[in-house]
């Protein structure tokens, strides 16, 4: 009798979860399974019904120079954007944490890039990076710096993307750090100040460790963003020159919609999903247990 | 140890005068309590002394040296915050050792000092715990330990007991006092609790609206409150007050209040007779009112509104007149009901006489005595 009732109560609970579950299945799990299925097939515009090829797609990808380059690019992109934007965000938050009118303005202006759509950001930076009459060129002329063909050079295109991404994301991460700083009671700073601790010492021994949970959280977001956001590539480089700015998500898009190679796109998607899953597992096991104090 | 002097110390916030020209002398080894209602400027005063708040005007002098522009870390003071301000990610040991590490004290000495403090404060078994794993009283002790190892000239404490329950507060109260006496420490202690002030201080400073009302030993302040505010603030339950006009009724001085003629003196020649025809304010402490008999001298009848029995004592609340609710603390258990009539004795010698307009205490020779 009692058991039946708990079961009934539980049933109601699950019933409420059902709508969300339906959408999850429909738009996340089903496509995921479909991609896994397609990754074992040779499937393109000529063979829409597909032919089973086992692990051939995987073998192909692992030997594909472009795919390797894309993976490498993504790694460089992550290494270039994640630590720098986190450090910059933390620095800005610590500097602007005190409530003054100037700081309010500064915070708003640092946060502003975050609310602009990435496509619009890309357009702004397209103008900055424009050779001959772009903003950078004029700036460089004025200060006597060498002109840089940002988007035309295989060497410079990745730094260009990295700079743009840091510019866009640091302000966003700053908000998390500002929230994290709010949770640190002011009295411990006063106490440390009475003990004679310098600003640097206070940052190393108090602020930084106490911000650790926030830092880990931001780290995960930054890391997933570095794999997830490619809007600017559409607008600025289309992966070029010579795939120097191509990232894995854009590579998937290219294979699926430009080359019509469904099997390869599905296979790359599966690999991407595995990578993202690994990142969210870090999230699950490290972040959720946090640093306890 | 330190001797501290505050000369006309003032704190002006942009739109608010928080501390108004405080003069105070804190002697070596003295336990001084700043007491007053919320918002009266106690914390601000303490923070100016600590160097956490800049001084708008006036001087702060420690052992003859002016400290106004000295950084808080060089003032040789240690503060215990109301919130304890422990470093949440550090163990008790690290919390206590923090300041010494900053000053690059030798590791072995740090260990000795922390263990010494831990022993005094009975924290020996807790040194590896984080603040989150401690009770309120234990956190409190860690905060004190951190101040202790500093060996400061002056200890500053801002309502350190206000987060503790009543029982623990009583215990910690005597522990802090005991520690202070053992160390012969100079201590400035902020509280809004007049019981803490009375029981702990060698000297109490009663504040209101940023100004010092009265400075003195607790008993002196209790016996001779300088004005109505101090009389009402120090002592629990608070002093009862009534206003009336002094008149000479056939050789007796009486206070004519709304409903009662209170006899103040049978001798019309005492100094107070100068005030005949003028308004006076009279204050009587609840614990100095005794049960009377109808017809007795100095006995008056009142209507009871409520009775609270506190074990062997009873608090009787009653209507003095339309504008004044009074209470009396009687030794014994009484069960008066609402509406009962009670006869209470108001002897002249327990009355405090104040000027009705300024609410200041009249000079000693105007005060009443038994006759
Ligand atoms: N930073 C500040 N800026 C402006 N006004 C302030 C500031 N800090 C305190 N005040 C004001 O100064 C007055 C005194 O504050 P203070 O904190 O010293 O009171 P307190 O006596 O310690 O009160 P409590 O018992 O509530 O702690 C209050 O009216 C408060 O609002
Ligand atoms: Mg205060």
């Amino acid at each position: 009798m009692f058991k039946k009732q708990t079961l009934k109560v539980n049933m109601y609970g699950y019933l409420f979860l059902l709508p969300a579950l339906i959408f999850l299945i429909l738009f996340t799990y089903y496509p995921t399974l479909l991609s896994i299925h397609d990754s074992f097939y040779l499937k393109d515009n000529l063979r829409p019904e597909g032919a089973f090829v086992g692990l051939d797609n995987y073998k192909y990808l692992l030997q594909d120079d472009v795919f390797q380059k894309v993976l490498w690019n993504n790694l460089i992109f992550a290494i270039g954007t994640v630590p720098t934007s986190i450090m910059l965000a933390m620095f800005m938050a610590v500097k602007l944490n005190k409530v003054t009118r100037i700081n309010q303005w500064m915070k708003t202006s640092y946060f502003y890039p975050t609310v602009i759509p990435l496509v619009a950001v890309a357009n702004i930076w397209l103008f900055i990076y424009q050779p001959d009459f772009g903003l950078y060129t004029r700036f460089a002329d004025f200060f006597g710096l060498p002109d840089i063909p940002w988007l035309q050079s295989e060497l410079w295109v990745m730094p260009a993307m990295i700079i743009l991404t840091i510019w866009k994301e640091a302000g966003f991460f700053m908000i998390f750090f500002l929230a994290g700083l709010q949770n640190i009671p002011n009295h411990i700073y006063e106490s440390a100040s009475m003990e004679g601790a310098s600003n640097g010492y206070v940052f190393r021994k108090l602020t930084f460790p106490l911000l650790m949970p926030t830092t880990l959280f931001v780290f995960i977001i930054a890391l997933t963003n570095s794999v997830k956001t490619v809007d600017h590539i559409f607008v600025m480089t289309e992966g070029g020159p010579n795939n120097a700015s191509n990232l894995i998500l854009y590579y998937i898009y290219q294979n699926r919609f430009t080359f019509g190679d469904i099997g390869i796109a599905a296979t790359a998607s599966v690999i991407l999903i595995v990578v993202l899953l690994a990142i969210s597992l870090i999230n699950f096991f490290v972040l959720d247990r946090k640093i306890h104090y | 140890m330190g001797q501290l002097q505050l000369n006309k110390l003032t704190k002006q916030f942009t739109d608010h005068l928080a501390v108004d020209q405080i003069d105070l002398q804190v002697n070596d080894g003295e336990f001084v309590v700043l007491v007053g209602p919320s918002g009266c400027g106690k914390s601000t005063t303490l923070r100016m002394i600590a160097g956490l708040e800049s001084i708008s005007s006036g001087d702060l002098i420690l052992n003859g040296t002016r400290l106004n522009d000295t950084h808080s870390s060089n003032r040789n003071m240690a503060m215990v915050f109301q919130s304890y301000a422990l470093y949440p990610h550090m163990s008790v040991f690290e919390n206590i050792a923090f300041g010494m590490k900053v000053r690059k004290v030798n590791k072995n000495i740090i260990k000795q000092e922390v263990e010494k403090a831990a022993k005094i404060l009975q924290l020996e078994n807790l040194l590896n715990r984080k603040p989150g794993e401690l009770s309120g009283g234990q956190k409190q002790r860690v905060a004190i330990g951190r101040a202790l190892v500093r060996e400061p000239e002056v200890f500053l404490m801002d309502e350190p007991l206000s987060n503790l329950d009543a029982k623990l507060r009583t215990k910690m109260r005597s522990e802090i006092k005991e520690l202070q006496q053992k160390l012969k420490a100079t201590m400035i202690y902020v509280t809004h609790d007049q019981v803490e002030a009375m029981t702990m201080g060698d000297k109490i400073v009663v504040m209101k609206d940023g100004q010092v009302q009265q400075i003195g030993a607790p008993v002196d302040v209790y016996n001779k409150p300088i004005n109505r505010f101090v009389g009402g603030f120090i002592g629990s339950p608070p002093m009862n007050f009534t206003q009336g006009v002094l008149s000479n009724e056939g050789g007796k001085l009486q206070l004519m209040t709304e409903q009662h003629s209170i006899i103040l003196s049978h001798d019309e020649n005492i100094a107070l007779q100068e005030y005949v025809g003028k308004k006076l304010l009279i204050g009587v402490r609840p614990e100095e009112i005794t049960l009377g008999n109808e017809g007795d001298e100095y006995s008056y009848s009142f209507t009871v509104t409520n009775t609270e029995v506190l074990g062997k004592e009873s608090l009787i609340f009653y209507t003095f007149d339309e504008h004044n609710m009074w209470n009396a603390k009687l030794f014994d258990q009484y069960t008066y009901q609402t509406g009962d009539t009670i006869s209470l004795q108001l002897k002249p010698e327990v009355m405090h006489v104040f000027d009705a307009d300024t609410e200041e205490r009249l000079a000693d020779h105007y005060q009443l005595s038994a006759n």
Side-chain angles (χ1 to χ4, degrees):
Chain A
M1 171 68 195
F2 181 75
K3 247 191 178 159
K4 233 186 199 166
Q5 215 166 24
T6 28
L7 201 70
K8 209 165 143 195
V9 172
N10 281 342
M11 277 301 290
Y12 279 122
Y14 288 123
L15 223 54
F16 279 114
L17 287 176
L18 202 58
L21 197 63
I22 288 174
F23 281 102
L24 258 178
I25 290 171
L26 225 52
F27 295 110
T28 305
Y29 296 126
Y30 174 65
T32 304
L33 289 176
L34 205 62
S35 293
I36 294 173
H37 172 267
D38 284 355
S39 71
F40 298 114
Y41 283 78
L42 179 61
K43 194 174 178 185
D44 53 30
N45 289 344
L46 298 176
R47 284 155 293 210
E49 72 292 338
F52 185 79
V53 291
L55 290 173
D56 278 6
N57 286 335
Y58 289 91
K59 280 185 201 148
Y60 169 80
L61 268 186
L62 292 180
Q63 284 157 9
D64 180 23
D65 287 345
V66 178
F67 186 69
Q68 279 175 10
K69 187 164 190 180
V70 163
L71 282 184
W72 181 248
N73 282 348
N74 234 139
L75 188 67
I76 301 285
F77 185 68
I79 291 172
T81 55
V82 176
T84 314
S85 54
I86 290 178
M87 283 191 290
L88 202 60
M90 194 187 285
F91 178 78
M92 294 192 297
V94 168
K95 285 290 166 201
L96 299 181
N97 190 34
K98 233 183 174 179
V99 183
T100 66
R101 184 152 312 167
I102 293 177
N103 283 357
Q104 259 354 350
W105 277 102
M106 300 279 271
K107 274 184 225 171
T108 312
S109 53
Y110 287 150
F111 184 66
Y112 188 58
T114 302
V115 297
I116 314 174
L118 188 49
V119 172
V121 168
N123 270 308
I124 296 171
W125 282 83
L126 213 47
F127 169 65
I128 295 174
Y129 289 147
Q130 198 69 244
D132 300 333
F133 57 86
L135 204 58
Y136 173 78
T137 306
R138 292 194 214 177
F139 176 84
D141 281 351
F142 187 82
F143 288 100
L145 298 170
D147 202 356
I148 294 172
W150 288 103
L151 302 180
Q152 287 69 36
S153 133
E154 280 187 45
L155 180 66
W156 287 104
V157 71
M158 189 50 86
M161 298 294 119
I162 287 172
I163 291 170
L164 172 156
T165 305
I166 291 170
W167 179 83
K168 166 125 175 103
E169 299 214 306
F172 181 52
F173 298 152
M174 174 188 75
I175 299 297
F176 290 101
F177 284 116
L178 282 171
L181 288 172
Q182 293 293 310
N183 283 332
I184 306 179
N186 198 35
H187 280 157
I188 72 168
Y189 289 115
E190 293 186 335
S191 176
S193 152
M194 286 191 74
E195 306 254 37
S198 66
N199 287 345
Y201 193 85
V202 166
F203 180 80
R204 269 184 296 126
K205 296 291 179 178
L206 300 182
T207 310
F208 187 77
L210 289 173
L211 277 180
M212 212 51 195
T214 311
T215 309
L216 276 174
F217 176 73
V218 170
F219 175 74
I220 299 296
I221 296 197
L223 203 59
T224 41
N225 274 359
S226 73
V227 195
K228 274 180 9 193
T229 47
V230 289
D231 314 24
H232 53 287
I233 296 178
F234 284 86
V235 178
M236 301 177 83
T237 65
E238 299 185 321
N242 190 21
N243 284 315
S245 66
N246 204 350
L247 298 179
I248 184 164
L249 196 59
Y250 191 74
Y251 176 85
I252 292 169
Y253 166 84
Q254 273 185 322
N255 274 289
R256 175 65 185 83
F257 297 102
T258 313
F259 312 142
D261 198 333
I262 301 170
I264 291 297
T267 309
S269 298
V270 170
I271 294 173
L272 178 61
I273 288 166
V274 169
V275 170
L276 287 175
L277 200 66
I279 295 177
S280 66
L281 282 182
I282 304 178
N283 179 18
F284 192 77
F285 284 110
V286 182
L287 187 64
D288 282 4
R289 277 190 278 158
K290 270 186 197 159
I291 312 233
H292 270 295
Y293 54 74
Chain B
M1 281 295 154
Q3 191 199 46
L4 192 70
Q5 204 172 334
L6 280 58
N7 291 340
K8 302 223 175 316
L9 209 65
T10 299
K11 180 67 196 186
Q12 174 78 56
F13 288 116
T14 15
D15 53 350
H16 186 75
L17 182 62
V19 176
D20 189 6
Q21 307 203 24
I22 289 196
D23 287 314
L24 174 66
Q25 162 103 26
V26 182
N27 295 322
D28 198 5
E30 198 169 30
F31 196 125
V32 172
V33 178
L34 303 184
V35 63
S38 188
C40 71
K42 308 176 297 284
S43 295
T44 308
T45 306
L46 199 72
R47 291 167 57 81
M48 279 195 286
I49 297 172
L52 297 171
E53 205 80 71
S54 66
I55 295 169
S56 305
S57 67
D59 304 306
L60 176 71
I61 294 161
L62 178 64
N63 298 334
T65 314
R66 189 170 180 272
L67 287 185
N68 288 44
D69 304 315
T70 307
H71 188 267
S72 62
S73 61
N74 297 327
R75 290 190 183 191
N76 233 331
M77 300 181 186
M79 177 134 159
V80 176
F81 293 82
Q82 177 176 356
S83 59
Y84 314 133
L86 300 181
Y87 310 122
H89 57 302
M90 296 182 189
S91 68
V92 169
F93 184 98
E94 290 168 314
N95 262 283
I96 299 177
F98 187 88
M100 288 186 285
K101 275 195 188 147
V102 170
R103 276 170 271 125
K104 302 206 165 64
V105 174
N106 176 294
K107 270 216 171 84
N108 295 326
I109 297 178
I110 291 182
K111 195 156 179 288
Q112 273 173 24
E113 290 290 316
V114 172
E115 277 164 5
K116 202 169 89 189
K119 193 164 178 214
I120 295 173
L121 296 164
Q122 294 152 35
L123 289 168
E124 291 132 308
N125 300 325
L126 306 174
L127 285 175
N128 293 320
R129 297 230 193 132
K130 300 261 169 80
E133 303 160 339
L134 300 177
S135 72
Q138 290 166 339
K139 282 185 205 168
Q140 179 56 59
R141 277 198 277 262
V142 177
I144 294 174
R146 213 165 51 174
L148 220 56
V149 295
R150 184 83 203 269
E151 297 179 351
E153 303 270 6
V154 184
F155 282 92
L156 307 172
M157 300 199 175
D158 192 354
E159 309 210 18
L161 305 185
S162 60
N163 289 339
L164 306 181
D165 65 63
K167 207 167 175 180
L168 194 54
R169 207 165 359 179
T170 312
K171 180 164 169 263
M172 290 300 293
R173 207 159 70 198
S174 58
E175 279 184 20
I176 291 178
K177 178 76 193 169
E178 217 170 275
L179 188 66
Q180 183 264 343
Q181 282 171 343
K182 201 160 82 188
L183 299 172
K184 297 189 175 59
T186 309
M187 193 172 288
I188 304 182
Y189 184 102
V190 163
T191 180
H192 61 256
D193 180 351
Q194 59 90 25
V195 180
E196 268 175 40
M198 288 294 290
T199 52
M200 297 173 85
D202 296 322
K203 190 194 254 175
I204 66 180
V205 180
V206 186
M207 292 178 65
K208 182 194 170 202
D209 298 338
Q211 291 176 333
V212 169
Q213 303 291 307
Q214 187 168 8
I215 300 179
V219 272
D220 293 340
V221 175
Y222 176 87
N223 289 340
K224 291 182 177 184
I226 201 159
N227 57 28
R228 177 184 185 150
F229 171 79
V230 176
F233 192 80
I234 298 294
S236 170
M239 193 180 259
N240 302 299
F241 292 98
T242 186
Q243 278 195 359
V245 176
L246 188 68
S247 74
N248 187 337
E249 303 285 325
K252 278 192 287 189
L253 294 183
Q254 295 191 355
L255 190 74
M256 313 305 284
T257 71
E258 260 174 57
Q259 287 176 17
H260 303 279
S261 307
I262 309 286
I263 300 170
L264 301 189
S265 176
H266 291 288
D267 179 1
E268 61 179 334
N269 295 320
I270 60 166
L272 193 65
Q273 55 96 4
E274 283 173 37
Y275 281 83
V276 168
K278 292 185 185 147
K279 260 166 88 180
L280 289 176
L281 178 71
I282 296 286
V284 182
R285 294 205 178 274
E287 53 273 34
E288 301 201 289
I289 297 173
T290 50
L291 211 52
N293 293 308
E294 219 153 324
D296 272 5
E297 196 173 30
Y298 305 129
S299 279
Y300 309 88
S301 293
F302 307 101
T303 310
V304 173
T305 58
N306 191 20
T307 305
E308 287 176 2
V309 181
L310 319 163
K312 203 60 189 164
E313 291 171 335
S314 306
L315 273 184
I316 318 287
F317 296 85
Y318 56 93
T319 317
F320 184 83
D321 57 34
E322 235 176 85
H323 294 104
N324 296 294
M325 297 303 300
W326 278 36
N327 63 75
K329 195 182 206 174
L330 303 178
F331 185 77
D332 219 337
Q333 294 172 343
Y334 292 94
T335 52
Y336 292 101
Q337 302 295 310
T338 307
D340 284 358
T341 299
I342 186 173
S343 180
L344 294 169
Q345 221 173 24
L346 305 174
K347 291 186 184 145
E349 65 263 30
V350 303
M351 294 180 184
H352 301 260
V353 188
F354 302 90
D355 185 298
D357 295 323
T358 63
E359 301 191 336
E360 299 285 336
R361 182 186 187 83
L362 296 187
D364 277 351
H365 62 279
Y366 290 121
Q367 298 294 329
L368 303 164
S369 54
N371 53 30

